[in-house]
């Protein structure tokens, strides 16, 4: 497909998402909510760590997970079962492969989510920098950003794409499963503080809170233990597999068709 056509369609779809009243509302709520988190929770530090540490910043970022998952699933729902399914019928008649247009729409959703994540990260860094300009290390904050968001985005987009083409119930069920991965894993293993429970959680909140308490030095920079890194990497590749399968699917199922 011509790159110019791809670019025009991508910016068109991205603009539709960014100007959508739901996205604008969630964006505003997210910014206010995270500012309150910074003022009331992050400023106190997590598990005796400094407010500007990677551990505290990771907890701050983890609060965004439910809202991000909600946005991802909402816009995929709109494409398949909402008002946007009529747009799909029109574009399917256009001289462009449905699989390519499907990829463009997925990319636009992904870009919109990345913009919101970037705003959350920027808000947190600016807040901490305004209070601790000499102590804040932006490099230390990059690891919790990557370790949290890469597996989370991979799983959310992968599960959404993989399940929505099968059935609506499975699609909605996958969203609930992702949100409840931590308590479900803890219940099945009968150990809420196990490595699997902490690593499979989308927000990694248990790891950010519990692990600093096991360290002799509360000022230890944020890091991932080996087992957590392996499980998070595995989750990332599982999500990538589902994502690839969903994008490659050329046929789609329209509700009621």
């Amino acid at each position: 497909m011509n790159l110019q056509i791809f670019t025009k369609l991508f910016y068109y779809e991205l603009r539709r998402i960014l100007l959508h009243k739901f996205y604008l509302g969630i964006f505003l709520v997210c910014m206010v909510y995270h500012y309150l988190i910074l003022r009331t929770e992050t400023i106190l530090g997590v598990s005796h760590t400094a407010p500007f540490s990677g551990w505290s910043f990771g907890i701050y970022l983890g609060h965004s997970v439910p809202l991000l998952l909600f946005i991802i699933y909402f816009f995929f729902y709109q494409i398949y079962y909402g008002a946007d399914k009529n747009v799909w019928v029109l574009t399917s008649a256009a001289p462009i492969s449905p699989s390519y247009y499907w990829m463009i729409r997925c990319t636009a959703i992904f870009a919109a989510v990345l913009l919101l994540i970037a705003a959350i990260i920027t808000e947190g860094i600016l807040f901490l920098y305004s209070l601790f300009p000499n102590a804040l290390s932006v490099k230390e904050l990059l690891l919790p950003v990557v370790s949290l968001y890469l597996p989370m985005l991979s799983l959310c987009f992968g599960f959404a794409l993989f399940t929505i083409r099968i059935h609506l119930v499975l699609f909605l069920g996958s969203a609930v499963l992702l949100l409840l991965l931590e308590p479900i894993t803890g219940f099945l293993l009968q150990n809420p503080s196990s490595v699997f429970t902490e690593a499979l959680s989308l927000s990694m909140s248990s790891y950010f809170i519990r692990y600093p308490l096991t360290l002799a030095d509360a000022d230890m920079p944020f890091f991932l233990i080996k087992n957590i890194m392996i499980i998070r990497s595995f989750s990332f590749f599982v999500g990538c597999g589902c994502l690839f399968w969903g994008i490659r699917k050329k046929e789609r199922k329209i509700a009621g068709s």
Side-chain angles (χ1 to χ4, degrees), residues 33-92:
Y33 173 64
H34 279 79
Y35 178 73
L36 295 176
I37 293 297
L38 289 167
R39 289 289 303 272
T40 59
E41 181 178 297
T42 308
I43 192 65
L44 301 177
V46 173
S47 300
H48 310 302
T49 62
F52 49 82
S53 70
W55 305 99
S56 298
F57 196 67
I59 286 292
Y60 161 74
L61 298 176
H63 285 286
S64 67
V65 168
L67 288 174
L68 294 175
L69 184 144
F70 190 43
I71 287 178
I72 293 169
Y73 272 75
F74 172 82
F75 282 107
F76 277 118
Y77 176 86
Q78 285 292 101
I79 293 176
Y80 266 76
Y81 301 102
D84 285 3
K85 72 176 183 178
N86 297 323
V87 177
W88 180 274
V89 174
L90 295 176
T91 55
S92 296

Side-chain angles (χ1 to χ4, degrees), residues 74-212:
F74 172 82
F75 282 107
F76 277 118
Y77 176 86
Q78 285 292 101
I79 293 176
Y80 266 76
Y81 301 102
D84 285 3
K85 72 176 183 178
N86 297 323
V87 177
W88 180 274
V89 174
L90 295 176
T91 55
S92 296
I96 180 176
S97 170
S99 61
Y100 276 119
Y101 194 72
W102 173 228
M103 182 173 64
I104 291 171
R105 304 192 82 175
C106 293
T107 306
I109 296 174
F110 183 71
V113 172
L114 285 184
L115 287 175
L116 180 53
I117 290 176
I120 293 170
I121 295 172
T122 302
E123 181 181 33
I125 291 177
L126 291 177
F127 178 86
L128 294 174
Y129 183 79
S130 67
L131 298 176
F132 313 100
N134 298 322
L136 181 66
S137 173
V138 177
K139 289 183 179 180
E140 183 185 342
L141 304 183
L142 293 180
L143 182 55
V145 169
V146 173
S147 60
L148 175 68
Y149 284 129
L150 276 185
M152 186 278 273
L153 290 175
S154 175
L155 286 173
C156 289
F157 275 90
F159 277 40
L161 279 167
F162 183 79
T163 57
I164 199 169
R165 65 184 182 83
I166 300 175
H167 199 278
L168 176 60
V169 173
L170 189 60
F171 171 72
L172 298 177
S174 68
V176 176
L177 173 64
L178 288 172
L179 281 176
L180 300 179
L181 265 179
E182 183 174 0
I184 290 175
T185 307
F187 174 77
L188 293 177
L189 298 177
Q190 297 298 311
N191 185 5
S193 61
S194 70
V195 172
F196 282 100
T197 303
E198 294 176 345
L200 290 177
S201 168
L202 290 184
S203 65
M204 293 179 63
S205 57
S206 295
Y207 179 73
F208 287 121
I209 294 174
R210 185 192 66 83
Y211 200 76

